[in-house]
Amino acid sequence: MLQSLASNSCVRLIQNHKSTWYFVSLILGYLLYLIFGAVVFSSVELPYEDQLRQELRTVKKQFLIENECLSEERLERFLKKALDASNYGVSILNNASANWNWDFTSSLFFASTVLSTTGYGHTAPLSDGGKAFCIIYSIIGIPFTLLFLTAVVQRIMVFSTRRPITYIHTHWGLSKQLVAIVHATLLGMLAVSCFFLIPAAIFSALEENWNFLESFYFCFISLSTIGLGDYVPGEAANQKFRELYKVGITVYLVFGLIVMLVVLETFCELQQLKQLRKMFYLKKEKPQDRLAILEHDHLSFTTVSENKGAKSEDKTKTFLSVPTLASPNDDPMIQ
């Protein structure tokens, strides 16, 4: 009997807090996914890092042997200075001296990466004034960009998703959920073709040291706003039409980000994904539930008040029912 009561109470507890259990499972799943990514990246990239470290040590040792007049301390200072400059986008190589990082087109490209939160990191402000302006510019510009993207995506969604789905559902008599799934799939395939596959082929042709995989990798890292900065187009030595190329990349990033948001919003409006998201949300109290709670509280308060009134009346009647004595001789105690 006790075991059945305990099991029933556990079942009721789980059912009453179902969204909480789903949310806890979501957190655990996310943590496990993070750990899984760390394990895979570590196992794949660590051997390459170790190999590169050994090659650098070998090259450095060979250089010091061939140049005995140069001490290791002086070489370390020189390399540190060169690496610090490289972190700010300034290269010491002769073939890269013609490329400026802060001309108008490069600055326009940098501003677009800041406002879109892509942030490749290949170029950074050198001066204190530039760093301070970057902070102020980002504080104002990032919310402005979010407002701009939200307004643009909302208008595009009306013509690219909502009206076509409603038209096909109304005139062809097809299920609205089926039409929405097919439309989202086709829209996603079109976006992948126009903003990943075709640009990747173009970048692999324009960039000398990029293959198709590296170009596709750049497109994905950029349009997902990850922006690792290991691949940045237009930074090769003697790049033809570099200014026009930078402007074209800026336009591609802005339009690509808008298209990605439209595709994501289209998928988020699918009924199946809406139901999936609701599993992890807190349930809102419905107006009927609030009214029922208020009525229950009011009824309980009224019942308690009536019970208290009835008890007080009984006590009053008890006191009032004491017989009155006509004279002291009528009292049995006196008699």
Side-chain angles (χ1 to χ4, degrees), residues 272-306:
Q272 291 80 359
L273 291 182
K274 287 183 178 179
Q275 294 176 356
L276 179 64
R277 294 200 308 271
K278 287 181 180 179
M279 291 172 56
F280 307 102
Y281 293 167
L282 286 175
K283 293 183 178 180
K284 297 181 180 179
E285 287 187 1
K286 297 180 180 180
Q288 294 84 357
D289 297 338
R290 295 180 181 177
L291 184 60
I293 292 173
L294 292 175
E295 290 179 352
H296 181 268
D297 293 342
H298 179 70
L299 181 62
S300 300
F301 178 76
T302 305
T303 305
V304 171
S305 300
E306 290 177 353

Side-chain angles (χ1 to χ4, degrees), residues 13-282:
L13 180 63
I14 294 174
Q15 291 179 351
N16 294 333
H17 300 83
K18 189 179 294 185
S19 62
T20 303
W21 292 110
Y22 285 148
F23 182 68
V24 172
S25 63
L26 179 65
I27 295 175
L28 293 177
Y30 187 74
L31 292 176
L32 291 175
Y33 194 71
L34 284 176
I35 296 172
F36 169 74
V39 171
V40 172
F41 283 127
S42 178
S43 60
V44 172
E45 295 297 329
L46 193 59
Y48 287 92
E49 180 186 1
D50 184 62
Q51 180 182 357
L52 183 59
R53 286 177 180 271
Q54 292 178 4
E55 291 177 357
L56 286 176
R57 292 192 189 99
T58 303
V59 171
K60 178 184 174 183
K61 185 178 180 180
Q62 185 66 30
F63 181 80
L64 290 174
I65 292 174
E66 294 176 357
N67 300 270
E68 296 180 356
C69 60
L70 182 64
S71 63
E72 185 176 359
E73 290 76 12
R74 292 177 61 188
L75 179 61
E76 290 283 349
R77 288 197 300 268
F78 173 75
L79 292 176
K80 184 178 183 303
K81 190 72 175 178
L83 290 175
D84 290 341
S86 179
N87 291 332
Y88 285 99
V90 179
S91 177
I92 198 173
L93 301 177
N94 291 329
N95 56 3
S97 60
N99 295 337
W100 291 88
N101 294 321
W102 295 106
D103 54 3
F104 177 75
T105 54
S106 299
S107 300
L108 179 65
F109 178 71
F110 174 77
S112 67
T113 59
V114 169
L115 295 183
S116 62
T117 66
T118 304
Y120 291 112
H122 72 293
T123 302
L126 300 173
S127 62
D128 293 338
K131 295 174 183 177
F133 176 75
C134 184
I135 295 174
I136 300 173
Y137 186 71
S138 302
I139 290 175
I140 300 174
I142 292 176
F144 188 27
T145 303
L146 293 176
L147 176 62
F148 164 73
L149 292 176
T150 303
V152 172
V153 170
Q154 190 273 335
R155 291 176 178 272
I156 293 177
M157 284 289 296
V158 174
F159 299 98
S160 67
T161 299
R162 298 190 180 101
R163 287 187 180 180
I165 292 176
T166 304
Y167 179 84
I168 295 175
H169 170 66
T170 304
H171 290 79
W172 293 8
L174 298 176
S175 172
K176 195 170 185 179
Q177 295 184 1
L178 178 62
V179 174
I181 293 174
V182 174
H183 175 269
T185 304
L186 294 177
L187 186 63
M189 295 173 60
L190 182 64
V192 170
S193 300
C194 295
F195 287 89
F196 288 94
L197 297 178
I198 296 176
I202 294 174
F203 283 127
S204 61
L206 294 178
E207 297 290 334
E208 297 179 357
N209 299 324
W210 292 15
N211 56 29
F212 182 80
L213 177 60
E214 292 170 338
S215 302
F216 188 88
Y217 170 80
F218 163 75
C219 294
F220 177 79
I221 293 298
S222 300
L223 297 185
S224 59
T225 68
I226 298 174
L228 296 178
D230 49 349
Y231 289 92
V232 180
E235 298 298 321
N238 301 322
Q239 178 72 51
K240 295 181 179 180
F241 307 105
R242 185 172 183 269
E243 291 77 11
L244 183 61
Y245 190 31
K246 285 286 187 180
V247 174
I249 296 170
T250 303
V251 174
Y252 162 73
L253 291 177
V254 173
F255 277 94
L257 185 59
I258 292 173
V259 171
M260 290 302 103
L261 291 175
V262 170
V263 173
L264 289 176
E265 185 67 21
T266 302
F267 275 93
C268 287
E269 288 191 354
L270 294 177
Q271 192 65 31
Q272 291 80 359
L273 291 182
K274 287 183 178 179
Q275 294 176 356
L276 179 64
R277 294 200 308 271
K278 287 181 180 179
M279 291 172 56
F280 307 102
Y281 293 167
L282 286 175

